[in-house]
Amino acid sequence: MSRHATTRKPRASSQLRITGILDAARTLLAEQGVANLSIYTVAERAEMPPSSVYHFFSSVPAILEALTTDVHAAFRACLQQPIAHDGLRHWRDLSRLVEERMLSIYAADAAARQLILAQHGLTEVTQADRQHDIELGRLMHILFERHFELPTLPDDIDVFALAMELGDRVYARSVQLHGEITPRLAEEGMRVFDAYLGLYLPPFLPKRPTPKAD
């Protein structure tokens, strides 16, 4: 973990400082991107000495890993929000709903776009993102299986995680070109997501009469 090593929950005062550091870093990311981020700029924006930032985070990548964890928590939450089962006619209805929820997170959070979609070259952050993608893929698999009768899927490939990563490549292209995910490339990203899933899910996947219990 990137945060200060401890098995105990941070004290309230410590948690407030951690929150202040991450909020400052998130604001700087949205304004300036990764390149201009440093312990000192974060400390200045958080209105605390650099030593306080170093106490909780040993480096900028450690701060960014923690922010990546927070962003993926928002993605996990969107997968766990209620789904109107009766409104699903096709598995593509579910895939569109999921992708639209994730796109809304990107649209509202410039820091998320910088962390996940921008080319920052930080190996630690990229690896953390991929590990979180594995968890998101697992949750997405569970979600699809709750509403549809899935065929047997490969054991050696995480189909849902890979579909999500492929869609993200299109969104990343949009961020590189336009600084945001445009409606046109948002649609293309969703098409890529569906196209890859369509290699493993038949066109007419049986819908469950009622959602499968977890």
Side-chain angles (χ1 to χ4, degrees), residues 67-180:
L67 284 177
T68 301
T69 297
D70 289 347
V71 169
H72 277 276
F75 287 143
R76 286 196 302 274
C78 84
L79 291 176
Q80 294 166 340
Q81 290 174 4
I83 299 286
H85 182 73
D86 291 343
L88 301 176
R89 297 171 300 170
H90 191 282
W91 64 261
R92 294 180 191 273
D93 295 334
L94 180 56
S95 72
R96 175 166 286 270
L97 178 59
V98 167
E99 282 293 285
E100 286 178 345
R101 287 179 177 181
M102 291 187 169
L103 282 165
S104 70
I105 292 172
Y106 281 134
D109 190 348
R113 297 194 298 272
Q114 288 292 325
L115 284 167
I116 311 300
L117 303 178
Q119 291 184 335
H120 48 62
L122 294 172
T123 303
E124 299 94 333
V125 177
T126 301
Q127 289 177 343
D129 180 42
R130 286 174 180 167
Q131 287 300 313
H132 288 300
D133 280 348
I134 292 172
E135 174 64 12
L136 290 177
R138 185 185 69 81
L139 291 174
M140 199 176 294
H141 189 161
I142 292 171
L143 178 61
F144 272 71
E145 194 167 38
R146 183 179 302 144
H147 295 281
F148 294 93
E149 297 179 14
L150 298 184
T152 301
L153 298 174
D155 293 328
D156 58 337
I157 296 174
D158 191 329
V159 170
F160 289 94
L162 187 51
M164 185 170 52
E165 290 175 5
L166 291 170
D168 274 356
R169 291 304 88 210
V170 179
Y171 305 148
R173 180 65 172 163
S174 184
V175 169
Q176 291 160 18
L177 291 174
H178 308 290
E180 63 180 357

Side-chain angles (χ1 to χ4, degrees), residues 3-55:
R3 301 187 181 186
H4 186 64
T6 179
T7 58
R8 295 175 297 178
K9 184 177 180 179
R11 293 179 299 177
S13 60
S14 295
Q15 189 58 58
L16 281 174
R17 288 191 176 188
I18 291 171
T19 300
I21 291 166
L22 294 180
D23 286 348
R26 179 182 290 276
T27 300
L28 288 169
L29 268 177
E31 293 176 354
Q32 305 174 15
V34 173
N36 295 316
L37 203 66
S38 72
I39 293 291
Y40 297 96
T41 57
V42 171
E44 182 179 7
R45 181 59 64 96
E47 298 183 345
M48 63 178 67
S51 59
S52 294
V53 179
Y54 276 117
H55 179 72

